[in-house]
Amino acid sequence: MLDPSDFINESIQEIKNIIGDKKAIIALSGGVDSSVASVLTSTAIGDNLIAVFVDHGLLREGESDYVNKTFNDRLNLRTINAEEEFLNRLDGVSDPEEKRKIIGELFIRVFERVAEEEGAEFLVQGTIAPDWIESDGQIKSHHNIALPHGLVLEIVEPIRELYKDEVRVIGSKMGLPDEMVNRQPYPGPGLAVRVVGILTPEKISICRKANAIVEEEVKKEGLDATLWQYFAVLTDTKVTGVKGDIRDFGYLVVLRMVESIDAMTANVPELPWSMVKTISQRITAEIPEVTHVSLSVSDKPPSTIEFA
Ligand code: XMP
């Protein structure tokens, strides 16, 4: 990569040349790639970039507030509350790939709606080098995307040549908080791929609460700096437990904490036992529907990082 300041200046100039005074939209996920692409583009074209943050009802605890707090005064941000639309369509669906497909389609539908309303002609994406090297290996090319209702947007990918560590350097240089640029990756379909089986408001809520406890304790331990991802999975297995003096029949939650460089492979490191026990105790104490917590010790391969 060029010197970070040169990269920023050259990218801003290039974005201005391509988009000029037209309008663009970007899907802001709250992850580091789309955040950095948003901030770079908005520095170039100001409020003509509309950053669209979709709350699909499958976000982590506090995520919508976090994204709004972080970006409200940096971006022309539109938060779209689409929880009902997503959860209605996902009702009764248990197959993970089916969930991903539905979520992908609904995302596109929401963006098309916003792009039409805003009169956008460009779609900015936070694509980074591993995304295209692994998939199509194509050298930079100008391309368009036709959305389902026929709207055609020209794609702009300002951080396409960068690797994750370089994206983080650019993000910091542009004033994004450390916590944001070092965030763990979070999958687009969110809790849909961390709740095994069909999604119900109750299961989503349990998974969200358990996940918040994992994140809190991992950060307390300072392991957020070294772990690649750390989260809770809600299985659809129910197991007998005993709470107080009463036998109970509740959910099994699995803790997944892995180290990785690029998510292609991952390994489960030795973890501080006191932290694992604290997480387990907190989850069963604070979430009445959970009777049992287990720790995943499987590397990738043969397992994947996500459960669904
Ligand atoms: P797996 O589970 O395949 O995950 O080992 C590898 C990395 O990709 C993330 N992941 C996703 N990200 N949409 C996303 O945006 C998805 O459908 C999806 N599935 C997995 C996962 O969190 C890990 O970082």
Side-chain angles (χ1 to χ4, degrees):
M1 184 180 69
L2 289 168
D3 169 76
S5 300
D6 291 343
F7 175 86
I8 292 168
N9 291 335
E10 287 182 19
S11 298
I12 290 172
Q13 198 48 55
E14 201 181 334
I15 296 166
K16 280 184 179 164
N17 291 344
I18 297 172
I19 305 182
D21 57 6
K22 299 198 168 124
K23 284 192 170 184
I25 60 165
I26 183 165
L28 177 69
S29 71
V32 58
D33 301 341
S34 65
S35 298
V36 171
S38 296
V39 170
L40 256 180
T41 308
S42 148
T43 307
I45 65 166
D47 282 354
N48 276 345
L49 175 74
I50 298 100
V52 184
F53 175 67
V54 179
D55 183 347
H56 49 21
L58 298 157
L59 299 172
R60 284 175 284 186
E61 198 163 280
E63 183 69 3
S64 186
D65 289 344
Y66 178 82
V67 167
N68 274 278
K69 196 175 79 202
T70 309
F71 292 106
N72 240 340
D73 51 6
R74 284 173 219 260
L75 298 173
N76 180 6
L77 179 63
R78 270 191 70 178
T79 298
I80 309 288
N81 190 336
E83 177 169 358
E84 211 182 309
E85 187 175 350
F86 277 76
L87 297 190
N88 280 346
R89 272 289 304 282
L90 287 163
D91 191 26
V93 177
S94 63
D95 179 71
E97 288 314 310
E98 184 67 17
K99 288 178 185 171
R100 285 186 169 84
K101 195 167 149 255
I102 291 171
I103 292 169
E105 281 170 12
L106 287 182
F107 257 123
I108 291 172
R109 220 193 278 167
V110 171
F111 286 124
E112 183 164 36
R113 247 171 12 222
V114 178
E116 276 169 353
E117 279 166 24
E118 299 283 353
E121 294 179 48
F122 293 85
L123 174 67
V124 182
Q125 291 188 318
T127 317
I128 64 171
D131 300 335
W132 57 271
I133 290 171
E134 273 159 28
S135 55
D136 59 16
Q138 273 183 32
I139 311 291
K140 188 170 184 173
S141 64
H142 285 285
H143 50 298
N144 294 329
I145 183 170
L147 297 175
H149 288 155
L151 183 67
V152 176
L153 297 173
E154 187 175 334
I155 302 215
V156 182
E157 297 174 312
I159 55 170
R160 191 183 154 85
E161 309 298 329
L162 304 186
Y163 286 84
K164 200 83 171 183
D165 53 331
E166 297 171 327
V167 180
R168 296 196 160 116
V169 171
I170 299 298
S172 294
K173 191 95 191 158
M174 298 209 70
L176 287 175
D178 285 351
E179 207 218 330
M180 151 58 63
V181 295
N182 294 316
R183 287 190 110 190
Q184 60 167 327
Y186 184 71
L191 298 176
V193 294
R194 294 186 178 168
V195 171
V196 181
I198 60 162
L199 301 165
T200 62
E202 184 203 35
K203 286 168 81 182
I204 294 167
S205 162
I206 295 169
C207 187
R208 182 179 284 131
K209 284 184 199 154
N211 195 66
I213 293 171
V214 174
E215 291 198 2
E216 207 179 303
E217 294 300 327
V218 164
K219 282 180 189 158
K220 238 187 242 170
E221 195 71 27
L223 284 179
D224 52 323
T226 52
L227 289 174
W228 169 262
Q229 277 174 292
Y230 42 97
F231 56 87
V233 172
L234 181 67
T235 70
D236 57 358
T237 299
K238 283 208 157 184
V239 284
T240 301
V242 53
K243 287 201 174 179
D245 288 336
I246 304 162
R247 278 174 82 81
D248 200 0
F249 193 54
Y251 284 106
L252 168 69
V253 163
V254 175
L255 311 180
R256 187 84 170 124
M257 299 180 231
V258 297
E259 289 177 343
S260 178
I261 305 279
D262 53 12
M264 299 296 285
T265 61
N267 76 290
V268 179
E270 278 189 28
L271 294 159
W273 200 240
S274 58
M275 179 190 76
V276 174
K277 296 285 279 187
T278 301
I279 293 173
S280 163
Q281 282 156 3
R282 281 195 57 194
I283 289 176
T284 48
E286 294 173 32
I287 311 175
E289 297 89 345
V290 180
T291 48
H292 203 118
V293 175
S294 70
L295 176 68
S296 161
V297 292
S298 295
D299 295 337
K300 174 183 179 177
S303 304
T304 52
I305 295 177
E306 302 292 346
F307 257 50

